[in-house]
Amino acid sequence: MLITRVILQDYGTYRGRHEFDFEADTKKPIVLVGGDNGAGKTTLFDSITLCLYGMSSMGKRISRRSYEQFLRRKIHRYHKSVASADHASVTVRFKFFHDGKESEYAVKRSWTKADGGVDESLDAYKLWNGRFSLLDSVERQYWQSFIEDLIPRGILDLFFFDGEKIARMAAHGTEDVEIKRSFRSLLGIGLVDQLHTDLQVNLTRNLTGGSKALKEDFEKYKAEKDESLRITNKLKERLGKKQTEMDSIKSEIDEAEATISSIGGGFASGRDDAKTELVAARQAYGAAMDRLADLCSGVLPFSMIPGWMAELGKQLDEDESTMRHELGGRLLDAKFASIKSKAGVSGMMGIGLDRNQAKKAAKLISSILEGERVEHGDSPDLVFGFSTEQTARIRAISSEAGGAALGILKEETQKLTEAGDRIDRLEVSIASAPRDDEMGPLVSKIGALQSQAGALRTEMDHIEEKLSANHSMRQHLDSKLRDIVSQIYKTEKSKEHVGLTQDVQKVLEEFAGVLKARKIRVLEEYLLGAISVLLHKKRLIEGVTVDPNTFEVSLLGREGEALEKDMLSEGEKQMFATAVLWALAKTSGRPLPFMIDTPLARLDMSHRSNIVEKFLPSASHQVMVFSTDSEIDYEYYMKLRPHLARSYVMEHDHETGATARYDGYFWTKEGKKVVAV
């Protein structure tokens, strides 16, 4: 397949008609589409799958109503005074090769606003004698099936993907899920299953005679199964609508929570705790202040004058010495007076001396005592004259001031500072919390929305239970149908017909098994080859195996040892995910183009070069790349130029509200940036 043209008419940001030529060949396979975010690249990217597959391009769970709302938004809204369009369309032209011949087709999907909804129409054309004509060999109601036969929806995701898909696969390790999801389409097993069922139906429709009762039972159970499928489809549609409602409610909750956060909701959630903590912080601050006051009114001031306190100690010592000296002098004077009294003339005469002798003796003793008195001398003056008790108290204060007072001061000051800082933070936190009249409505709204979401979740669970019950019922009906077919097999009348049918079904089952094993081997070869091209660490991975039951990919080292995927860097994991998609695409055997949106957005610089130089030029016969100038920059653009069939660049004009298309890319070959973009 080769996409040749994509034509947009009043679709998305594209006003009027825009035609893109995507012709390419194996020598120059790349078509490069550039544009800033919002310029219309992704709109063009998505328009191709929307044109080909319509509602099914948007996933299984989307409801018809949501699909129509999406389409109404995609019909171009003209800017300012110009009336908006009522109609839009996307046309995809492509060449397809089958039976050795090249045919060119065109698919056009159109949408027209109608009664609050959108009418959709699909037209399919084939090129005859130089002109596109409506397919007359296929009835209109089967055109969609015809398109999907040419380009199966199940494998298109292997060829049309964006960088985000690669990032998700790498981040969550879902390569096996991707392989499993795509493998039945790769094998064509769906066709085998359909043929198996058709053989059973054909068998029952051709029964006669005694087998009619079995045929009637078969038709009865088949009708019940069809009814079960109809109910399942309705339930899935209901579930899709509920999921849309749930997404809308979650979006409102996210918006309300974002508003709460923007006005300080984080502060509000802990406001009560902050108030309680503020009381405790203020108490701690007050206690620290009291302890500091006690310290300041006690010995702390003396700690500030250690030199003076030392001088004070010395003076106290001298005062004590003086006081002792004075006390000794007084005691000595008293003794002298007593001695002089007793050693007078009368006292000397009392011991047997005559008066003259007594006078001489008394005079001599008095002279000796006076000499001693003069020798003892007067004591120096007191400076303070403190009592013994006062001196002891001063000495105790001096001792305390020279000990732990400064350490206690440092400790208590630190506690005071910490308590003050806590108070400041808490007061800011409380002041920053929004008022109740701001928070109340938002909190109430979130509560109401969460209640709605809970009720909706209950409804969805109920629907899923019904789906599960319906699935069990279909399994039961399938079992009944198999039993009937088994009984049919036993009837002699249809033995030959049944035997042939059994043989064909057995061959089909064997064919599916052989095909699966062969495709697994092919996938392993392609995957190893893709890994060797994309990873810049050569010979890191020497082997690859794919489990045929779980589809889990195992990596092998040089000695055949198992390598854990966790040992790969984030960039290598993305290269591995890209290799898986590339290998699956090759395994499909279908020559489809690659279309990649934002291929380098999540890659590190070391692996961007591998994608640009090795993957894009060789991924397929046609590779359409949608990029910004920050991904495919001038350096990478110049590396791609030899492989470019053509390039376009988009610019969104905010004045007109429309996207303009230019031939070329962001830069000229001389490196000059295109002014318009």
Side-chain angles (χ1 to χ4, degrees), residues 437-458:
D437 59 351
E438 291 180 290
M439 288 289 294
L442 291 170
V443 173
S444 298
K445 181 180 180 180
I446 290 175
L449 288 171
Q450 287 174 337
S451 296
Q452 292 179 39
L456 200 55
R457 182 71 262 171
T458 301

Side-chain angles (χ1 to χ4, degrees), residues 20-185:
F20 295 86
D21 181 359
F22 282 159
E23 285 271 11
D25 55 45
T26 53
K27 292 182 179 179
K28 292 189 173 184
I30 299 175
V31 178
L32 181 60
V33 180
D36 293 332
N37 292 326
K41 301 188 312 301
T42 303
T43 298
L44 176 60
F45 180 94
D46 292 337
S47 70
I48 297 175
T49 52
L50 179 65
C51 177
L52 294 176
Y53 303 106
M55 184 173 169
S56 65
S57 69
M58 302 184 68
K60 297 180 179 179
R61 287 198 165 187
I62 188 172
S63 65
R64 184 70 198 181
R65 181 180 177 184
S66 298
Y67 178 56
E68 290 185 0
Q69 289 174 345
F70 166 80
L71 293 176
R72 286 184 71 87
R73 293 193 299 271
K74 286 299 180 182
I75 297 176
H76 184 73
R77 295 187 294 275
Y78 281 71
H79 199 54
K80 297 180 180 178
S81 60
V82 183
S84 295
D86 293 322
H87 175 87
S89 67
V90 177
T91 302
V92 177
R93 296 180 188 174
F94 57 92
K95 293 178 181 178
F96 204 88
F97 300 84
H98 50 176
D99 296 331
K101 297 179 181 179
E102 177 186 284
S103 300
E104 188 164 0
Y105 299 91
V107 177
K108 181 178 181 180
R109 200 176 292 268
S110 306
W111 306 279
T112 304
K113 293 179 182 178
D115 300 328
V118 175
D119 289 337
E120 183 178 70
S121 63
L122 172 66
D123 295 305
Y125 305 85
K126 186 174 182 179
L127 187 66
W128 297 98
N129 299 321
R131 294 183 60 186
F132 282 101
S133 302
L134 287 172
L135 288 176
D136 54 3
S137 59
V138 181
E139 293 185 34
R140 178 178 287 271
Q141 61 180 320
Y142 298 118
W143 281 353
Q144 186 63 60
S145 296
F146 176 75
I147 294 167
E148 295 194 20
D149 284 341
L150 289 178
I151 316 167
R153 180 73 183 93
I155 65 171
L156 195 72
D157 287 343
L158 301 177
F159 295 87
F160 291 11
F161 58 90
D162 58 21
E164 290 295 328
K165 178 176 181 176
I166 295 293
R168 288 194 300 271
M169 287 177 62
H172 303 295
T174 54
E175 296 84 10
D176 55 333
V177 175
E178 192 66 36
I179 295 173
K180 186 175 183 180
R181 186 183 65 79
S182 306
F183 210 74
R184 292 181 69 82
S185 298

Side-chain angles (χ1 to χ4, degrees), residues 393-411:
R393 173 60 181 155
I394 291 172
R395 288 190 183 281
I397 290 173
S398 180
S399 176
E400 291 178 22
L406 291 177
I408 296 172
L409 174 65
K410 181 179 179 181
E411 181 180 340

Side-chain angles (χ1 to χ4, degrees), residues 320-351:
E320 282 187 328
S321 177
T322 298
M323 291 177 68
R324 286 195 298 272
H325 192 279
E326 288 182 350
L327 180 60
R330 286 196 295 273
L331 290 174
L332 188 59
D333 287 346
K335 289 294 184 181
F336 283 171
S338 174
I339 293 172
K340 285 175 69 176
S341 172
K342 293 179 180 179
V345 176
S346 58
M348 292 295 100
M349 291 177 66
I351 60 172

Side-chain angles (χ1 to χ4, degrees), residues 166-378:
I166 295 293
R168 288 194 300 271
M169 287 177 62
H172 303 295
T174 54
E175 296 84 10
D176 55 333
V177 175
E178 192 66 36
I179 295 173
K180 186 175 183 180
R181 186 183 65 79
S182 306
F183 210 74
R184 292 181 69 82
S185 298
L186 295 180
L187 294 177
I189 289 178
L191 295 175
V192 175
D193 292 342
Q194 185 62 48
L195 182 56
H196 198 283
T197 301
D198 290 345
L199 285 169
Q200 290 186 346
V201 172
N202 181 64
L203 176 63
T204 59
R205 286 177 178 173
N206 290 284
L207 293 176
T208 59
S211 298
K212 282 186 176 180
L214 292 175
K215 178 180 178 181
E216 290 173 359
D217 286 343
F218 185 91
E219 294 296 339
K220 171 190 170 186
Y221 291 130
K222 182 68 167 58
E224 290 181 13
K225 181 179 177 180
D226 290 342
E227 176 63 14
S228 175
L229 286 170
R230 187 189 67 80
I231 293 173
T232 293
N233 290 333
K234 290 194 70 175
L235 289 172
K236 286 183 176 179
E237 185 175 348
R238 281 182 59 198
L239 188 62
K241 290 179 180 178
K242 297 296 181 186
Q243 184 62 51
T244 301
E245 292 179 41
M246 179 68 83
D247 292 342
S248 177
I249 289 173
K250 287 182 177 179
S251 178
E252 289 188 63
I253 291 174
D254 291 342
E255 185 178 344
E257 288 179 343
T259 303
I260 288 175
S261 178
S262 67
I263 64 174
F267 292 115
S269 61
R271 180 171 51 185
D272 291 339
D273 291 341
K275 286 182 176 180
T276 301
E277 191 177 347
L278 179 60
V279 172
R282 285 175 173 164
Q283 289 175 346
Y285 187 86
M289 283 292 290
D290 290 342
R291 289 192 295 272
L292 280 173
D294 291 342
L295 191 61
C296 290
S297 64
V299 301
L300 183 63
F302 301 107
S303 300
M304 309 298 178
I305 50 172
W308 292 1
M309 292 302 293
E311 291 296 325
L312 175 63
K314 291 180 181 179
Q315 189 59 55
L316 288 175
D317 290 342
E318 291 179 4
D319 278 9
E320 282 187 328
S321 177
T322 298
M323 291 177 68
R324 286 195 298 272
H325 192 279
E326 288 182 350
L327 180 60
R330 286 196 295 273
L331 290 174
L332 188 59
D333 287 346
K335 289 294 184 181
F336 283 171
S338 174
I339 293 172
K340 285 175 69 176
S341 172
K342 293 179 180 179
V345 176
S346 58
M348 292 295 100
M349 291 177 66
I351 60 172
L353 296 177
D354 57 25
R355 178 172 292 275
N356 288 331
Q357 290 175 333
K359 285 181 177 181
K360 288 181 181 180
K363 184 178 180 179
L364 177 61
I365 290 172
S366 176
S367 173
I368 293 170
L369 288 175
E370 285 296 328
E372 288 295 328
R373 182 72 180 83
V374 171
E375 185 180 338
H376 184 268
D378 295 330

Side-chain angles (χ1 to χ4, degrees), residues 214 476-490:
L214 292 175
H476 174 70
L477 292 170
D478 283 338
S479 176
K480 289 283 187 183
L481 289 169
R482 284 195 297 271
D483 289 344
I484 291 172
V485 171
S486 178
Q487 293 179 50
I488 292 172
Y489 287 166
K490 294 177 183 177

Side-chain angles (χ1 to χ4, degrees), residues 555-566:
L555 305 178
L556 305 176
R558 296 181 183 180
E559 305 298 327
E561 74 280 9
L563 300 177
E564 295 295 331
K565 296 188 188 77
D566 288 342

